[in-house]
Amino acid sequence: MHIYKANLLFTKDSTSFTVIPDGYVAVDSGTIAGVYPRLPDELSGIPVTDYGNKLLIPAMIDVHVHAPQYRNIGIAMDLELLPWLNNYTFPEESKYADTAYAERMYRRFVRDLWRVGTMRTIAFATVHKDSTRLLMRLFEQAGMGALVGKVDMDRNCPVSLRETVADAIRDNEALIAEYAAPDALVRPIITPRFVPSCTPELLQACGELARKHNLPVQSHLSENRNEIAWVHELEPASLHYGDAYRRYGLFGATPTVMAHCVWTAGDELRMMRDNQVMVAHCPTSNFNLASGMAPIRTFLNEGVPVGLGSDISGGHDLSIFKVMVYAIQVSKMQYCQNHHLPFLTLPEAFWIATKSAGRLFGKVGSLEAGYDFDALVIDDSELNHDNYSLLHRLERFIYLGDDRHIVHRFCRGEQIAEPPIA
Ligand code: GUN
Ligand code: FE
């Protein structure tokens, strides 16, 4: 057992922050045993790490990011989704056939996730088994939690990224066998890229793999209008884009995350709610690829689970703190267009990024008894000029702070050191 003392801020629900000035978190074998405003007598004598006036908050969770697009972060924003994939993204992902290249880039990616305080990540890799395994190893060596997907695709992509259904099954089975423990920090996630790049046979095979091994699923859904029109042509028997996944066992049969859902409404939205499919909200990507504004207020009202994704390199900022800010800002523009849609509050955005997103990892994303101790210690002394309240200090860090202010990082109780890039 170990005890940490600091100013604690977290969101038990979406309505408000719980703020405990000079509070105590007791951690036992990676799990939070209790959170206290004053140290209970029975815990006196247990070692305490005192972080003084610093803030201690849950660590960030990125529920949608493409690790092999890290080289393209912040460039090539001049196209919409489908030509963007063909011109910039697929050529870059093809390079990951080379594991030496993959190692160089993936090390920087994992190091930078560490920097921005993201301790749990749901990542797309590429079709390549060996470089996908490498990414899993790097997360494992770092001690950071991740669901990592070997991407599956067998049509409408360059030959260098195209696999057969048999290859996809074999390579997934190999990785699944190596990462079989259900409570491991790093686990596989079944990852058909999106309907346009997967034949019905491949989608079917992915659904069977997910069910057979009880593994989560991730993909993309209703991001861009040209993409959606194309899916209607490719899948005429499906009611809508989401139904195309459902028909193959990829829409909530096991825990499922769908990125974007910008144009999701009506029956597709109800199907997400009924199957508890999580939306990975990626506002920066939706701006950069001119995809649109996802109806997050409606998702929350209807009870569809939501998390935040950086979606590098459609998105340009790896920090989930900054993605929170964009999520609030886009909701304010939606509110300007329709006053029946109240904009997101800061506690809502924080809750979405932590406790709501964390359900994909078990009990993760809050400072409550029974949760994994995933936390960041923030030294905002340089930002805290005027005796702000603890809530204003956190808000200012979220809007103006960066990795220089994150002084300690914990994942499942372990303090996580900077992962080496070489
Ligand atoms: N849809 C299919 N692949 C991708 C991708 O790599 N990024 C985004 N934003 N959308 C996609
Ligand atoms: Fe994506």
Side-chain angles (χ1 to χ4, degrees):
M1 177 102 73
H2 195 88
I3 293 172
Y4 299 93
K5 177 170 183 280
N7 296 304
L8 312 177
L9 297 102
F10 55 102
T11 41
K12 286 187 193 164
D13 58 46
S14 64
T15 61
S16 61
F17 282 98
T18 300
V19 181
I20 308 181
D22 299 316
Y24 298 82
V25 188
V27 179
D28 196 7
S29 316
T31 306
I32 297 174
V35 178
Y36 315 96
R38 277 169 302 281
L39 197 61
D41 287 345
E42 65 268 23
L43 294 184
S44 62
I46 308 233
V48 178
T49 301
D50 187 347
Y51 291 121
N53 192 31
K54 297 181 179 66
L55 312 177
L56 191 152
I57 63 176
M60 292 298 109
I61 300 168
D62 188 337
V63 299
H64 183 75
V65 60
H66 297 264
Q69 296 173 22
Y70 201 47
R71 184 187 172 279
N72 284 353
I73 187 170
I75 60 172
M77 312 273 199
D78 55 336
L79 296 172
E80 288 192 43
L81 175 64
L82 299 175
W84 174 85
L85 284 171
N86 286 321
N87 281 279
Y88 304 122
T89 305
F90 291 154
E92 179 59 21
E93 291 193 11
S94 297
K95 297 181 191 170
Y96 285 72
D98 173 359
T99 51
Y101 182 76
E103 174 157 7
R104 194 151 60 83
M105 301 309 291
Y106 281 161
R107 279 187 180 279
R108 291 188 208 173
F109 172 71
V110 172
R111 191 272 314 266
D112 288 353
L113 284 170
W114 175 88
R115 275 194 175 161
V116 297
T118 297
M119 292 294 118
R120 306 270 180 165
T121 304
I122 307 184
F124 278 55
T126 60
V127 291
H128 311 100
K129 177 187 64 174
D130 291 338
S131 53
T132 302
R133 179 194 293 113
L134 212 141
L135 179 60
M136 298 179 84
R137 291 262 154 81
L138 292 174
F139 275 116
E140 213 172 33
Q141 285 165 9
M144 291 156 54
L147 299 173
V148 178
K150 185 204 98 62
V151 170
D152 297 311
M153 45 209 280
D154 69 342
R155 66 175 173 186
N156 297 315
C157 60
V159 174
S160 56
L161 292 177
R162 199 170 304 175
E163 56 189 350
T164 64
V165 175
D167 289 343
I169 294 172
R170 185 199 59 211
D171 290 354
N172 274 292
E173 289 280 10
L175 291 172
I176 293 165
E178 291 174 45
Y179 287 87
D183 60 346
L185 215 39
V186 178
R187 294 181 65 215
I189 179 167
I190 302 301
T191 306
R193 183 178 205 111
F194 68 156
V195 168
S197 36
C198 303
T199 59
E201 294 72 27
L202 182 59
L203 292 170
Q204 181 74 32
C206 286
E208 285 167 9
L209 277 169
R211 255 193 319 271
K212 175 178 169 195
H213 298 286
N214 192 26
L215 285 172
V217 168
Q218 63 177 346
S219 194
H220 295 90
L221 177 65
S222 297
E223 175 178 5
N224 166 288
R225 280 184 279 200
N226 293 328
E227 171 210 18
I228 295 166
W230 194 16
V231 170
H232 285 307
E233 285 171 30
L234 292 167
E235 278 287 326
S238 297
L239 294 172
H240 42 71
Y241 195 160
D243 192 45
Y245 290 119
R246 184 201 55 83
R247 282 158 28 99
Y248 302 109
L250 295 164
F251 212 60
T254 59
T256 302
V257 189
M258 287 287 159
H260 307 299
C261 310
V262 169
W263 301 99
T264 293
D267 190 62
E268 183 170 279
L269 195 150
R270 282 188 289 276
M271 198 181 274
M272 292 191 79
R273 177 199 60 203
D274 293 346
N275 296 349
Q276 287 296 291
V277 172
M278 179 180 285
V279 177
H281 179 38
C282 306
T284 55
S285 174
N286 299 336
F287 284 137
N288 294 329
L289 299 180
S291 301
M293 301 188 279
I296 298 306
R297 174 58 63 202
T298 310
F299 291 135
L300 294 177
N301 286 345
E302 297 294 325
V304 178
V306 185
L308 294 182
S310 65
D311 193 30
I312 305 303
S313 63
H316 64 280
D317 201 322
L318 193 60
S319 165
I320 293 299
F321 294 109
K322 293 301 169 284
V323 176
M324 266 187 230
V325 173
Y326 285 106
I328 292 170
Q329 289 176 335
V330 71
S331 77
K332 288 179 175 170
M333 294 300 100
Q334 292 169 303
Y335 166 75
C336 291
Q337 292 181 327
N338 179 352
H339 281 239
H340 299 295
L341 299 171
F343 52 76
L344 293 185
T345 64
L346 190 69
E348 280 180 316
F350 194 92
W351 173 81
I352 289 170
T354 56
K355 190 171 176 179
S356 176
R359 76 186 79 188
L360 266 303
F361 292 94
K363 289 186 97 172
V364 172
S366 189
L367 300 180
E368 295 172 60
Y371 277 68
D372 283 10
F373 184 63
D374 281 31
L376 306 176
V377 178
I378 310 296
D379 180 352
D380 65 335
S381 47
E382 179 208 350
L383 298 169
N384 178 26
H385 298 300
D386 239 346
N387 279 323
Y388 287 2
S389 66
L390 290 173
L391 277 176
H392 280 165
R393 284 174 56 187
L394 177 62
E395 183 171 15
R396 185 175 246 194
F397 165 72
I398 291 170
Y399 274 79
L400 297 185
D402 59 46
D403 54 278
R404 290 169 299 179
H405 307 113
I406 307 176
V407 291
H408 301 286
R409 297 152 176 85
F410 293 87
C411 185
R412 204 178 262 179
E414 296 294 325
Q415 181 151 357
I416 306 301
E418 179 170 347
I421 58 166

